[in-house]
Amino acid sequence: MVSALLPMRATGACVHRRGKRLIGPVDLVLEGAGLTALIGPNGAGKSTLLKAMHGLERLSMGRIKWACGAAQAQRAQAFVFQTPVMLRRSVLDNLAYPLRLHGTPREAARAAGVEWCERIGLAGMEGRQATVLSGGEKQKLALARALICAPQLLFLDEPSASLDGRATREIEALLRLATQAGTRIVMATHDMGQARRLAREVVFLRSGKVHEHAPAAEFFDAPSTDAAAAFLAGDIVD
Amino acid sequence: MNDLWEGLWQAARLVLSLDADLYEIAARSLRVTLSALVIACAIALPLAAFLAVQRFRWRRATIAILNALMGLPPVVVGLVVYVMLSRSGPLGVLGLLFTPTAMVVAQVIIIVPLIASIAHQSLRELWAEYHDLLISMNAGRMQRIATLLWDGRRALLTAALAGFGRGVGEVGAIMIVGGNIDHLTRVMTTAIALETGKGNFALALGLGFVLIALSVMVNLAIHWLSRTETGGRW
Ligand SMILES: Nc1ncnc2c1ncn2[C@@H]1O[C@H](COP(=O)(O)OP(=O)(O)OP(=O)(O)O)[C@@H](O)[C@H]1O
Ligand SMILES: [Mg+2]
């Protein structure tokens, strides 16, 4: 399955806004399985890069190529935004929405929604309006809504930013299950512990450029650049 | 001041005595305006959603025109519809002039821009919120429009009620195209205009109060309906 989509090759990819360069030029190859952690200081361009790969940000220069066509690739992906977007519907209808969009019958979609509600610890809240959930509940719901279609590639923008310890562990368990089931994940995170626990490889982004791209163990034990070492030590890098 | 009290008294008398004429024209007012409202919503709401989700060349111009049309003087609309429907006009063969249908047509033209503008305003905000998510999920254009209309139904209700208010209180256009014919095209507003012209201020005021009560009742009824439909959760 994954082979249909990957490898992804970004060459000289740039995103500009009103003449200002947000990211780029980025050269990056995404392949294999597992989870890639995208780390870097605030404003480094992590969210922008994720959106560019997903096709939500238009490239001003360079290109991103998939093993299949771009439209087909996008259809096999899902995205969880840094600030979760809740449809103004019930929790259950939020979960059923992407399935209904792609033609799953109503009853099957609702059944899947109920199942995922349980999996993310929101059982009993199916009928509640999604917009009134707590920040952490919204994040879990957004993740479940992304996973419910079993995407081949999942982009996560800080999925556990406002979660407590227990919810973070639940989410990490879900992500492990997903990678075991063959979903490729690219996750931006500020939680180095989480990156260590989950990531197979790390992409360190700084000022909109890929500064380092290495296997996780290698990166955390012996980062090859001073900036990465300083970032890991908790020093401010810009 | 005396006229006001007299008007209230007349209103109460008309309602309580089950005045046949009053109930007839009140029912006609409701029928004409609700018909116009349904038709106008069927045009304006999808249009508003389309303008919110779709970028195209004349989008800004269309929105600007829509906003400008909101201020269209109803009398002029009435005049234009009159010319179109009159015996010698392009649609004269339909024989619609001085019928309730002509009044519905005029009201639709008057309230479509209003409903579309108000609806577009709120759907645009909703689209800004939903944009990335729906694009990410590969929702087609029709699915985007349907999602906005469904999730924004609260705001759309407000737009529809504004349209109803404008329609039910309208007098100039329907006077021209309807002709205020007794038992055929006389509605609350044209009856009020007529009674005022005849100097029957108390009766005119009485009719006015009934009209206000009618309008409030429709507003409450629609709000109540939408409450039960969403289970009052938000
Ligand atoms: N719409 C926009 N217009 C102008 N500048 C923008 C826009 N969106 C993002 N930027 C800028 O682009 C840069 C990268 O933003 P991005 O959100 O990708 O950073 P990030 O690495 O995700 O940061 P964080 O860790 O805070 O989430 C920032 O300097 C930001 O100010
Ligand atoms: Mg970000």
Side-chain angles (χ1 to χ4, degrees), chain A residues 51 54-56 71 74-75 77-79 81 85-89 97-98 100-102 127-129 145, chain B residues 125-126 129-140 143-144 146-148 150-153 233-234:
Chain A
K51 286 183 183 174
H54 189 45
L56 286 176
Q74 208 256 353
R75 238 172 287 140
Q77 301 169 7
F79 201 109
F81 297 94
V85 184
M86 292 293 109
L87 296 170
R88 298 184 189 172
R89 305 176 174 211
Y97 184 80
R100 297 284 296 141
L101 218 46
H102 300 114
R128 197 177 292 184
Q129 201 62 33
R145 193 179 52 194
Chain B
E125 274 165 33
L126 189 59
E129 201 180 310
Y130 280 9
H131 176 273
D132 281 356
L133 182 69
L134 295 201
I135 301 284
S136 161
M137 287 182 172
N138 252 299
Q143 291 172 320
R144 293 174 202 176
T147 304
L148 282 194
W150 179 249
D151 287 5
R153 57 195 184 280
R233 263 190 225 99
W234 37 299

Side-chain angles (χ1 to χ4, degrees), chain A:
Chain A
M1 281 284 269
V2 176
S3 57
L5 189 62
L6 296 174
M8 177 214 82
R9 274 172 223 287
T11 39
C14 294
V15 174
H16 283 81
R17 270 288 166 79
R18 285 187 216 98
K20 184 173 166 268
R21 199 190 70 226
L22 303 191
I23 57 162
V26 168
D27 296 295
L28 181 66
V29 179
L30 207 60
E31 56 190 345
L35 186 147
T36 300
L38 190 56
I39 64 175
N42 290 129
K46 301 182 293 298
S47 299
T48 310
L49 178 58
L50 289 176
K51 286 183 183 174
M53 289 192 280
H54 189 45
L56 286 176
E57 289 279 2
R58 232 185 32 182
L59 298 184
S60 46
M61 273 189 265
R63 59 196 304 171
I64 291 178
K65 285 207 69 147
W66 300 90
C68 56
Q72 196 190 339
Q74 208 256 353
R75 238 172 287 140
Q77 301 169 7
F79 201 109
V80 177
F81 297 94
Q82 189 161 3
T83 41
V85 184
M86 292 293 109
L87 296 170
R88 298 184 189 172
R89 305 176 174 211
S90 68
V91 169
L92 188 56
D93 286 343
N94 262 274
L95 287 170
Y97 184 80
L99 292 173
R100 297 284 296 141
L101 218 46
H102 300 114
T104 308
R106 193 181 170 76
E107 285 315 309
R110 292 179 78 85
V114 169
E115 195 186 316
W116 273 96
C117 259
E118 231 152 80
R119 230 179 272 183
I120 55 174
L122 293 185
M125 295 196 195
E126 289 88 352
R128 197 177 292 184
Q129 201 62 33
T131 43
V132 303
L133 294 179
S134 79
E137 288 164 346
K138 282 181 186 168
Q139 272 186 322
K140 290 199 281 186
L141 179 56
L143 177 64
R145 193 179 52 194
L147 284 171
I148 202 165
C149 282
Q152 292 180 36
L153 174 57
L154 175 63
F155 294 109
L156 301 173
D157 202 348
E158 301 187 30
S160 54
S162 56
L163 296 181
D164 60 25
R166 175 156 161 241
T168 302
R169 278 203 307 282
E170 285 170 10
I171 283 212
E172 290 182 5
L174 282 178
L175 295 183
R176 275 198 202 92
L177 276 178
T179 46
Q180 277 159 22
T183 299
R184 184 74 170 85
I185 298 179
V186 182
M187 174 178 78
T189 183
H190 284 290
D191 182 343
M192 290 309 126
Q194 183 170 59
R196 269 176 214 267
R197 287 192 292 277
L198 296 175
R200 176 178 65 75
E201 59 169 11
V202 173
V203 172
F204 177 59
L205 210 61
R206 185 187 171 202
S207 315
K209 294 195 183 70
V210 175
H211 217 66
E212 207 168 324
H213 182 183
E218 203 172 293
F219 178 85
F220 286 116
D221 290 344
S224 64
T225 59
D226 292 344
F231 181 74
L232 285 178
D235 289 344
I236 296 162
V237 186
D238 53 13

Side-chain angles (χ1 to χ4, degrees), chain B residues 33-231:
Chain B
T33 304
L34 288 179
S35 309
L37 186 63
V38 169
I39 297 169
C41 282
I43 300 169
L45 299 184
L47 175 65
F50 179 79
L51 288 174
V53 304
Q54 195 67 24
R55 316 272 122 182
F56 58 96
R57 206 145 183 268
W58 297 103
R59 187 172 151 273
R60 279 171 172 282
T62 311
I63 293 165
I65 290 171
L66 219 49
N67 285 331
L69 287 181
M70 259 203 300
L72 212 58
V75 180
V76 178
V77 173
L79 214 55
V80 171
V81 173
Y82 182 95
V83 170
M84 300 292 281
L85 294 182
S86 68
R87 184 90 23 107
S88 54
L91 299 175
V93 287
L94 299 176
L96 287 177
L97 198 60
F98 303 136
T99 64
T101 309
M103 309 199 314
V104 171
V105 170
Q107 289 207 343
V108 167
I109 295 173
I110 291 166
I111 64 181
V112 159
L114 179 72
I115 297 177
S117 288
I118 299 177
H120 174 252
Q121 202 70 35
S122 49
L123 290 186
R124 198 176 52 178
E125 274 165 33
L126 189 59
W127 179 240
E129 201 180 310
Y130 280 9
H131 176 273
D132 281 356
L133 182 69
L134 295 201
I135 301 284
S136 161
M137 287 182 172
N138 252 299
R141 184 195 298 159
M142 280 310 180
Q143 291 172 320
R144 293 174 202 176
I145 290 176
T147 304
L148 282 194
L149 289 178
W150 179 249
D151 287 5
R153 57 195 184 280
R154 272 302 166 99
L156 299 184
L157 192 67
T158 310
L161 287 179
F164 176 81
R166 177 124 203 243
V168 82
E170 206 284 316
V171 55
I174 54 172
M175 185 75 100
I176 294 176
V177 302
N180 193 23
I181 303 167
D182 206 5
H183 298 307
L184 181 61
T185 58
R186 181 162 301 166
V187 292
M188 296 294 290
T189 50
T190 55
I192 291 171
L194 181 72
E195 296 305 333
T196 308
K198 289 200 294 197
N200 295 335
F201 295 119
L203 182 56
L205 268 172
L207 289 168
F209 287 129
V210 174
L211 179 61
I212 291 171
L214 210 63
S215 171
V216 169
M217 263 154 43
V218 169
N219 269 269
L220 290 180
I222 294 181
H223 264 295
W224 181 76
L225 280 177
S226 75
R227 254 272 154 55
T228 51
E229 183 259 323
T230 55

